[in-house]
């Protein structure tokens, strides 16, 4: 997730909003976006084939993983930077992956530039025969992307990617009270011709806040969480939960919060018409709160009912410069049926936190993202320079020596790695047995940032 930047804020906060929706039908917008064809991307996806095994305690449970591909970060990504003398532009090789979203046979990865430079991209990969093919990329020279939801529209032949992130306020010129960069954009991917569409098809909606950090969808509505990176209320860039429609027409519902980090849907308590969800909100330097017991059938407002959990910790201030994350996992089962769930939080230097277990000190002391593998009943925790850690979930078949939240293994860095270091920043599980690791690169010293990438992994045994 973007380290939010507080530059050129005051000039953007006017009461009116005379540019609430932008599209590439305006020719002046066209130069901001570029589609990179497949012919220029073939060298940026690498074939691998390295496997490793994780044996649980007493060899009661064995997990086998295979690195299948490595996706390089976008090279020479254009950016916009806001300096005291005005806007400046350039290119960077330091893009980092922020999210992985799968739908059908497609996998979409969002990218951003960390720090003060605004620049991002969305990459499309087709999964075929157990390997990935890089089909198209769309670059934005003034916008970081943090997360996405994807919808396949069989009537139009497009995947619709609803991406959230942070656009340079000096570049956009939006006049919206409380806006300092937070946006949601709708990007179309033509799955007939396997390429992103641009001119006349892109739509964008600005929102209050510095950055839009997370998004969920339910019944044709999109729930977007924005933050300010400060852990406190700000008059100039309010954070909130905002609901918009499929066409990004306007914000129809909203709730004010302090500093939004994450919104997460509970996949075990959802239907086609509604879903349970929770908000991860940083409310002080050393405190976060979780608003839970919410459902998309409710109208979002400051008056809506919910339950609040408060978590304190000396490591929580690191969320100002690091990522944070959230996931729902099964808590109890009746046979193979999940009967209740709990949330887990990735709290950066504060480590991993469970709704019912509190701080999980025996497994992960540093955590940037967390997700659940339902088929293996394990939890994956992205631990930065500590790599990816595998933790026993509720119901994990590890034998009598393994308790819930015990550390059962680590991911082995590939021996034929395409970048230095194994700094795991995010992890996603999709199609049951497929895993993606967003990793950040370093130079030979291990101290200086270099461009990152994504390792695509398949679980071939459990």
């Amino acid at each position: 997730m973007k380290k939010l930047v507080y530059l050129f804020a005051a000039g953007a906060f006017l009461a009116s909003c005379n540019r609430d929706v932008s599209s590439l039908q305006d020719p002046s917008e066209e130069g901001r976006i570029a589609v990179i064809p497949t012919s220029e991307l073939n060298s940026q996806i690498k074939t691998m084939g390295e496997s490793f095994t994780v044996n649980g305690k007493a060899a009661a449970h064995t997990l086998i993983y295979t690195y299948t591909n490595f996706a390089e970060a976008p090279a020479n990504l254009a950016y916009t930077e806001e300096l005291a003398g005005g806007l400046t532009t350039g290119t960077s090789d330091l893009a980092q992956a922020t999210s992985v979203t799968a739908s059908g046979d497609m996998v979409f990865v969002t990218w951003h530039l960390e720090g003060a430079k605004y620049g991002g991209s969305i990459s499309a990969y087709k999964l075929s025969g157990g390997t990935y093919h890089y089909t198209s990329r769309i670059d934005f020279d003034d916008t970081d992307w943090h997360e996405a939801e994807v919808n396949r529209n069989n009537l139009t032949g497009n995947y619709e990617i609803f991406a959230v992130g942070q656009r340079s306020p000096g570049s956009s010129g939006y006049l919206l009270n409380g806006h300092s960069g937070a946006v949601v954009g709708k990007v179309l991917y033509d799955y007939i011709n396997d390429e992103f569409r641009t001119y006349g098809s892109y739509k964008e909606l600005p929102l209050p806040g510095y950055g839009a950090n997370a998004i969920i969808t339910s019944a044709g509505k999109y729930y977007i969480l924005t933050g300010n990176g400060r852990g406190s209320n700000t008059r100039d860039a309010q954070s909130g939960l905002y609901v918009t429609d499929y066409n990004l027409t306007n914000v129809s519902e909203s709730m004010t919060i302090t500093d939004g980090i994450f919104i997460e849907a509970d996949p075990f308590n959802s239907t086609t018409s509604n879903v349970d969800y929770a908000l991860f909100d940083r409310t002080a330097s050393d405190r976060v709160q979780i608003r839970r017991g919410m459902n998309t059938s409710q109208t979002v407002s400051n008056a809506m009912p919910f339950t609040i959990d408060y978590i304190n910790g000396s490591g929580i201030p690191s969320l100002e410069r690091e990522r944070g994350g959230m996931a729902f996992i099964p808590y109890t089962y009746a046979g193979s049926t999940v009967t209740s769930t709990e949330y887990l939080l990735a709290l950066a230097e504060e480590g991993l936190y469970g709704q019912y277990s509190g701080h999980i000190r025996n497994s992960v002391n540093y955590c940037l993202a967390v997700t659940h593998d339902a088929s293996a009943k394990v939890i994956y925790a992205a631990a930065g320079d500590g790599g990816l850690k595998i933790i026993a979930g509720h119901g994990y078949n590890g034998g009598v020596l393994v308790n819930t939240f015990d550390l059962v293994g680590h991911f082995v860095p590939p021996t034929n790695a395409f970048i230095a270091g194994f700094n795991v920043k995010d992890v996603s599980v999709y199609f049951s047995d497929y895993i993606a690791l967003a990793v950040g690169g370093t130079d030979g010293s291990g101290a200086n940032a270099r461009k990152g990438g994504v390792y695509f992994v398949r679980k071939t045994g459990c």
Side-chain angles (χ1 to χ4, degrees):
M1 195 173 296
K2 175 84 174 171
K3 290 186 283 187
L4 301 176
V5 183
Y6 317 121
L7 299 177
F8 285 82
F13 307 133
L14 303 181
S16 63
C17 177
N18 60 12
R19 293 184 63 199
D20 62 341
V21 177
S22 168
S23 80
L24 287 186
Q25 293 172 353
D26 178 357
S28 65
E29 296 273 9
E30 187 178 11
R32 146 186 195 220
I33 299 176
V35 172
I36 312 301
T38 305
S39 60
E40 297 182 26
L41 300 173
N42 291 333
S43 64
Q44 296 179 30
I45 183 84
K46 311 294 186 182
T47 299
M48 303 179 70
E50 181 177 337
S51 298
F52 63 96
T53 300
V54 174
N55 290 310
K57 292 181 180 178
H61 198 58
T62 300
L63 297 167
I64 303 170
Y65 300 93
T66 300
Y67 289 101
T68 60
N69 293 88
F70 176 74
E72 291 184 346
N76 299 316
L77 186 63
Y79 68 79
T80 299
E81 188 171 7
E82 300 187 4
L83 301 175
L87 298 178
T88 186
T89 60
T91 60
S92 173
D93 283 337
L94 300 182
Q96 306 289 334
T98 51
S99 73
V100 179
T101 307
S103 179
D105 59 356
M106 297 300 302
V107 177
F108 298 94
V109 176
T110 58
W111 307 85
H112 81 144
L113 293 173
E114 295 184 341
K117 295 180 175 65
Y118 296 90
S121 184
I122 304 174
S123 296
Y125 306 90
K126 177 172 281 190
L127 179 59
S128 176
T131 192
Y132 294 81
H133 306 275
Y134 205 161
T135 58
S136 190
R137 193 180 92 207
I138 184 168
D139 294 351
F140 294 75
D141 69 7
D142 65 354
T143 307
D144 297 317
W145 294 119
H146 298 158
E147 198 181 30
E149 284 281 351
V150 177
N151 173 63
R152 180 183 167 106
N153 190 326
N154 294 325
L155 297 178
T156 65
N158 294 315
Y159 281 101
E160 297 155 339
I161 300 100
F162 293 82
V164 295
Q166 184 178 23
R167 184 178 178 187
S168 161
S171 172
S172 70
Y174 285 129
L175 303 178
L176 172 67
N177 187 37
H179 171 78
S180 191
V183 293
V184 54
K186 181 180 178 181
V187 179
L188 300 183
Y189 177 86
D190 177 352
Y191 63 75
I192 306 299
N193 297 301
D194 276 328
E195 62 184 7
F196 283 106
R197 295 177 57 198
T198 54
Y199 188 72
S201 67
Y202 175 73
K203 290 187 176 181
E204 183 175 284
L205 186 69
L207 300 166
Y210 281 98
N213 294 330
I215 180 173
I216 64 170
T217 184
S218 175
K221 295 197 291 187
Y222 291 83
Y223 297 71
I224 302 156
L225 194 71
T226 72
N228 56 47
R230 296 179 177 179
S232 61
N233 289 309
T234 62
R235 296 179 59 187
D236 55 4
Q238 294 181 356
S239 301
L241 175 63
Y242 301 98
V243 182
T244 186
D245 63 351
Y246 175 86
N247 294 314
L248 301 188
T249 306
N250 54 39
V251 172
S252 58
E253 305 167 29
S254 66
M255 167 194 288
T256 301
I257 60 175
T258 305
D259 180 13
I261 302 293
F262 217 75
I263 179 173
E264 182 71 1
D266 183 347
F268 306 100
N269 289 288
S270 63
T271 69
T272 56
S273 60
N274 65 80
V275 61
D276 288 352
Y277 67 96
L279 304 183
F280 178 0
D281 183 19
R282 182 165 169 246
T283 56
S285 175
D286 61 350
R287 184 176 70 179
V288 299
Q289 68 176 26
I290 303 301
R291 301 189 186 195
R292 59 181 174 85
M294 306 166 79
N295 186 277
T296 55
S297 63
Q298 300 170 283
T299 299
V300 172
S301 74
N302 289 337
M304 71 181 295
F306 48 80
T307 300
I308 295 183
D309 297 334
Y310 296 98
I311 300 104
N312 289 79
S314 59
I316 287 175
S318 64
L319 290 173
E320 189 166 317
R321 63 183 185 277
E322 299 284 13
R323 300 172 183 227
M326 185 178 187
F328 281 95
I329 67 169
Y331 183 62
T332 58
Y333 293 87
S336 60
T337 301
V338 177
T339 54
S340 67
T341 63
E342 71 168 318
Y343 62 74
L344 297 181
L345 302 178
L347 295 174
E349 292 178 7
E350 190 61 23
L352 188 64
Y353 183 93
Q355 178 178 352
Y356 300 122
S357 304
H359 293 90
I360 303 169
R361 301 296 189 190
N362 62 317
S363 301
V364 183
N365 296 319
Y366 181 77
C367 192
L368 301 178
V370 60
T371 195
H372 179 252
D373 182 334
S375 63
K377 296 183 179 178
V378 297
I379 298 153
Y380 301 120
D385 289 331
L388 187 81
K389 299 191 176 183
I390 309 171
I391 302 160
H394 298 288
Y396 172 73
N397 182 23
V400 295
L401 298 179
V402 177
N403 297 310
T404 301
F405 299 134
D406 276 357
L407 182 66
V408 297
H410 296 82
F411 260 52
V412 177
T415 56
N416 58 340
F418 293 96
I419 58 173
F422 194 59
N423 185 349
V424 182
K425 297 185 174 183
D426 201 7
V427 55
S428 301
V429 177
Y430 50 94
F431 305 150
S432 180
D433 292 329
Y434 290 84
I435 302 162
L437 308 182
V439 294
T442 63
D443 65 0
S445 71
N448 300 310
R450 292 292 183 264
K451 70 179 180 181
V454 175
Y455 286 110
F456 291 113
V457 180
R458 185 176 183 183
K459 186 170 83 256
T460 55
C462 68

